[in-house]
Amino acid sequence: MSASAAKVSRKENSNHDGADETSEKEQQEAIEHIDEVQNEIDRLNEQASEEILKVEQKYNKLRQPFFQKRSELIAKIPNFWVTTFVNHPQVSALLGEEDEEALHYLSRVEVTEFEDIKSGYRIDFYFDENPYFENKALSKEFNVNEGGDPVSKSTEIKWKAGKDLTKRTGQTPNKSGKKRQHEEPESFFTWFTDHSDAGADELGEVIKDDIWPNPLQYYLVILLRQIKPAENGDFIKVVIKASQCLP
Amino acid sequence: MSASAAKVSRKENSNHDGADETSEKEQQEAIEHIDEVQNEIDRLNEQASEEILKVEQKYNKLRQPFFQKRSELIAKIPNFWVTTFVNHPQVSALLGEEDEEALHYLSRVEVTEFEDIKSGYRIDFYFDENPYFENKALSKEFNVNEGGDPVSKSTEIKWKAGKDLTKRTGQTPNKSGKKRQHEEPESFFTWFTDHSDAGADELGEVIKDDIWPNPLQYYLVILLRQIKPAENGDFIKVVIKASQCLP
């Protein structure tokens, strides 16, 4: 069917655009004008994106000294990061017992958003000397390649002999004896070798967008418990740090 | 277990924070300082959000005359909106045959983002006189209520006798005779009565974020076909408007 034949049949099927019917030529002109107007809208969208990026860059700079100060303070608190991760529901689900043991040596975490590329960021994990691997730092970096596709890359972990946590099975043994429905990642550290979903890396985004903006709230998971009403009718509130209740 | 007992046991389990061990009191002070620094970071985050909102508001204003002009041009093209919706993969999946017939009377669509509330928007559909309902306009509006929860509300559709498309079954009859696995919405127009997912209304967000920014690209679903190489080695390209190929 030719384009014009199709168009005619479409019009015949329609029963309400008779009176103010516009000619084929006028319609074609209207489409061309819409295209021009659309180019103006697209140009404004690009300008808006650029301005928003500049605001974000400005505030990234302004926040930097506070992040620096926060890192120095966090360094004074033993086990700050492992406690924060254990208290975070999504991250804790990824942690085997030995992962948690290894993360006791995690002394510093840094999230850096790149200035030049909108979607790029890097997460650096600094470790004390530990029995698991030789690296002092492990990083994972998210970026876009030349073709515009999201990619990620990581530090190669130099495991000490017999300590490769990504090669252990049964870190969290399945006591029921049933076969697992689908293979779960065995270790938090498999994240460093998994580059399958660089555009929407779940752990990366949780750390960047949820933990990094305010890690203290996870370190201090506060349970607010209402105890029996006091004499005057008020409630007595008891605040317990959940992180300190864990065995 | 008391908080302090728990803390001691945590430290005993940990085997690397002995030398530079900070006292309980110093740790408590560090936590309080982190909290202060965090307040500064939160303040900067709020300022950044406000500045970004202002940029968005500025560009909403700048785009407005172009959207206005675009609407005027679209009005010259019969069946622009129904063709656009039919060509959009997600919207088209919601359209029964009679929905499509009714949408032939859809003459204008407008998306308005509210200035005062970040997540609020309204979609207005203007209809010509039609055999289905009395309304000249149908709107659906998304907002947050006083408690901060997302809510939506819509125009009540005044269906003409026997024309309520949301009460028809078998618009798209199931020829296989099998019972449906789960009830699908029967009509595009059920969207106007469905307020179950106001925070992430799929159709609302597709129209606002995907169609409205550039409806022409869906009206003109362009198939670019490479035909046999021409004499000089270039490819001859043939452009066909898919919207005009539909029967």
Side-chain angles (χ1 to χ4, degrees):
Chain A
M1 189 190 282
S2 77
S4 61
K7 198 144 203 178
V8 168
S9 99
R10 268 207 307 142
K11 279 183 191 161
E12 281 171 354
N13 286 338
S14 170
N15 53 2
H16 68 290
D17 45 27
D20 54 350
E21 189 76 82
T22 38
S23 76
E24 186 89 0
K25 186 163 167 289
E26 282 170 317
Q27 285 183 39
Q28 200 54 48
E29 281 171 6
I31 288 172
E32 279 158 26
H33 283 142
I34 292 171
D35 193 44
E36 287 162 20
V37 171
Q38 191 63 51
N39 287 339
E40 293 299 312
I41 293 170
D42 292 349
R43 200 178 48 81
L44 285 169
N45 288 344
E46 266 174 48
Q47 280 180 21
S49 296
E50 277 168 32
E51 265 185 55
I52 287 168
L53 182 63
K54 274 187 191 142
V55 173
E56 283 170 352
Q57 287 171 345
K58 181 177 90 176
Y59 279 94
N60 275 346
K61 275 210 183 68
L62 289 171
R63 278 185 285 248
Q64 209 45 55
F66 295 102
F67 283 140
Q68 179 62 33
K69 180 72 185 161
R70 194 180 70 180
S71 283
E72 288 162 18
L73 290 163
I74 285 174
K76 294 185 181 180
I77 302 170
N79 299 318
F80 181 91
W81 287 110
V82 66
T83 306
T84 298
F85 286 169
V86 165
N87 285 349
H88 191 285
Q90 281 162 280
V91 180
S92 123
L94 303 172
L95 298 178
E97 258 178 57
E98 288 206 79
D99 289 331
E100 205 177 315
E101 194 49 48
L103 289 174
H104 274 82
Y105 299 90
L106 176 60
S107 57
R108 194 151 64 93
V109 174
E110 298 287 342
V111 174
T112 308
E113 300 200 50
F114 303 142
E115 285 242 321
D116 49 340
I117 297 160
K118 291 176 196 184
S119 60
Y121 65 102
R122 190 181 68 242
I123 308 178
D124 299 303
F125 300 80
Y126 296 91
F127 287 86
D128 293 332
E129 183 76 34
N130 71 71
Y132 294 93
F133 44 78
E134 303 291 349
N135 314 60
K136 298 275 184 235
L138 299 177
S139 302
K140 190 167 179 178
E141 181 174 322
F142 300 86
N143 232 314
V144 287
N145 64 15
E146 286 168 9
D149 295 318
V151 288
S152 61
K153 59 180 181 183
S154 307
T155 316
E156 191 190 336
I157 306 178
K158 297 199 167 88
W159 296 102
K160 293 186 178 175
K163 289 291 193 176
D164 186 341
L165 298 178
T166 67
K167 294 216 171 117
R168 300 201 181 179
T169 51
Q171 258 205 73
T172 47
N174 190 341
K175 285 170 190 164
S176 75
K178 280 183 197 162
K179 208 179 166 192
R180 284 189 181 184
Q181 291 280 335
H182 44 153
E183 274 310 296
E184 300 279 331
E186 297 287 333
S187 165
F188 169 85
F189 291 93
T190 56
W191 181 65
F192 288 98
T193 50
D194 178 11
H195 302 290
S196 62
D197 205 10
D201 187 289
E202 206 183 326
L203 180 56
E205 292 184 1
V206 162
I207 294 174
K208 174 170 75 78
D209 297 328
D210 192 20
I211 294 178
W212 181 249
N214 187 347
L216 189 63
Q217 67 178 322
Y218 292 106
Y219 179 76
L220 303 173
V221 171
I222 288 172
L223 300 176
L224 208 58
R225 291 186 185 166
Q226 288 187 328
I227 311 295
K228 61 169 185 171
E231 296 293 307
N232 63 1
D234 287 347
F235 286 92
I236 298 164
K237 285 170 185 170
V238 176
V239 174
I240 298 166
K241 284 176 198 161
S243 65
Q244 296 178 343
C245 297
L246 298 171
Chain B
M1 190 190 281
S2 78
S4 60
K7 199 145 204 174
V8 168
S9 98
R10 265 207 309 144
K11 280 183 192 159
E12 282 172 353
N13 285 338
S14 171
N15 54 359
H16 68 291
D17 45 27
D20 54 350
E21 187 75 85
T22 38
S23 77
E24 186 87 0
K25 186 163 168 289
E26 280 171 320
Q27 286 183 38
Q28 200 53 49
E29 281 172 8
I31 289 172
E32 280 159 25
H33 284 141
I34 293 171
D35 193 45
E36 288 163 20
V37 171
Q38 190 63 51
N39 287 339
E40 293 298 312
I41 293 170
D42 292 350
R43 200 177 50 80
L44 286 169
N45 289 344
E46 266 174 47
Q47 281 181 20
S49 296
E50 277 168 31
E51 265 185 54
I52 287 168
L53 183 63
K54 273 185 193 145
V55 173
E56 283 170 351
Q57 287 171 345
K58 181 178 91 177
Y59 280 93
N60 274 345
K61 275 210 182 70
L62 289 171
R63 278 185 285 248
Q64 209 45 56
F66 295 102
F67 284 140
Q68 179 61 34
K69 180 72 186 161
R70 194 180 70 180
S71 283
E72 287 162 19
L73 290 163
I74 285 174
K76 294 184 180 178
I77 302 170
N79 299 320
F80 181 92
W81 286 111
V82 67
T83 307
T84 298
F85 287 169
V86 165
N87 284 350
H88 190 284
Q90 281 163 280
V91 181
S92 122
L94 302 172
L95 299 179
E97 259 177 56
E98 289 207 77
D99 290 331
E100 204 178 314
E101 195 47 50
L103 289 174
H104 274 82
Y105 299 90
L106 176 59
S107 58
R108 193 152 64 93
V109 174
E110 296 287 343
V111 174
T112 309
E113 300 201 50
F114 303 141
E115 285 243 322
D116 49 341
I117 297 160
K118 293 175 196 185
S119 59
Y121 65 101
R122 191 182 67 240
I123 307 178
D124 299 305
F125 300 80
Y126 296 91
F127 287 86
D128 292 333
E129 183 78 33
N130 70 71
Y132 294 93
F133 44 79
E134 304 290 350
N135 313 59
K136 297 273 184 238
L138 300 177
S139 302
K140 189 166 180 179
E141 181 174 323
F142 300 86
N143 231 314
V144 287
N145 65 14
E146 286 169 9
D149 295 318
V151 288
S152 61
K153 59 180 181 184
S154 306
T155 317
E156 190 189 338
I157 305 178
K158 298 203 167 89
W159 295 103
K160 294 186 178 175
K163 289 291 192 177
D164 187 341
L165 298 178
T166 68
K167 296 219 171 113
R168 300 200 180 178
T169 50
Q171 259 206 77
T172 47
N174 190 342
K175 284 168 189 164
S176 76
K178 281 184 198 162
K179 207 178 167 191
R180 284 188 181 186
Q181 291 282 337
H182 43 155
E183 274 309 297
E184 301 278 332
E186 297 287 333
S187 165
F188 169 85
F189 292 94
T190 57
W191 180 65
F192 288 98
T193 51
D194 177 11
H195 302 289
S196 61
D197 206 9
D201 187 289
E202 205 183 327
L203 180 58
E205 292 184 1
V206 162
I207 295 174
K208 173 170 75 79
D209 297 327
D210 192 20
I211 294 178
W212 182 248
N214 187 346
L216 189 62
Q217 67 178 322
Y218 292 106
Y219 179 75
L220 302 174
V221 171
I222 288 172
L223 302 176
L224 207 58
R225 292 187 187 166
Q226 288 188 328
I227 310 296
K228 60 166 187 171
E231 297 293 306
N232 62 0
D234 287 346
F235 286 93
I236 298 165
K237 286 172 183 167
V238 177
V239 174
I240 299 167
K241 283 175 200 161
S243 66
Q244 297 179 343
C245 298
L246 297 171

